């Protein structure tokens, strides 16, 4: 929507959701925090980036959300959201590693 407001469409295990978020904190190359503002998923989270060396980094993600309905609660018990997040982080890693270097 703009630099701090975003609209998301996601699908986890075939269950599609849409929601809006606002970035509440952003420190370049360090941290991004957000919270949802509207939509089907009420949540918030933070991503932190940790430089391990000149060629390696660690990305840590914390998301707080409450499973609603039978399908989400069963999915949460089976760790479906965790698997989906790990898959998306793998895609993010591939994207970053394929990007031209700034050095």
């Amino acid at each position: 929507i703009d630099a701090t407001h975003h609209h998301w469409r996601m699908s986890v295990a075939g269950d599609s959701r849409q929601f809006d978020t606002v970035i509440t904190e952003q420190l370049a190359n360090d941290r991004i925090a957000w919270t949802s503002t509207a939509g089907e998923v009420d949540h918030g989270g933070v991503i932190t980036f940790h430089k391990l060396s000149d060629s390696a980094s660690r990305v840590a993600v914390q998301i707080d959300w409450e499973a609603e309905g039978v399908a989400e609660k069963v999915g949460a018990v089976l760790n479906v959201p965790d698997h989906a997040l790990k898959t998306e982080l793998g895609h993010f890693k591939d994207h970053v590693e394929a990007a031209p270097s700034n050095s």
Side-chain angles (χ1 to χ4, degrees), residues 6-10 17-21:
H6 300 89
H7 181 77
W8 297 87
R9 291 180 187 94
M10 60 176 268
R17 299 282 201 236
Q18 293 189 46
F19 54 91
D20 295 330
T21 61

Side-chain angles (χ1 to χ4, degrees), residues 17-65:
R17 299 282 201 236
Q18 293 189 46
F19 54 91
D20 295 330
T21 61
V22 62
I23 294 174
T24 57
E25 180 182 13
Q26 186 168 4
L27 303 171
N29 301 316
D30 186 50
R31 174 184 177 91
I32 302 170
W34 74 91
T35 188
S36 59
T37 59
E40 301 172 282
V41 181
D42 186 21
H43 72 287
V46 63
I47 299 175
T48 54
F49 303 90
H50 307 273
K51 181 177 179 178
L52 302 177
S53 70
D54 286 341
S55 62
S57 297
R58 175 178 292 127
V59 177
V61 179
Q62 177 183 335
I63 300 175
D64 295 318
W65 67 286

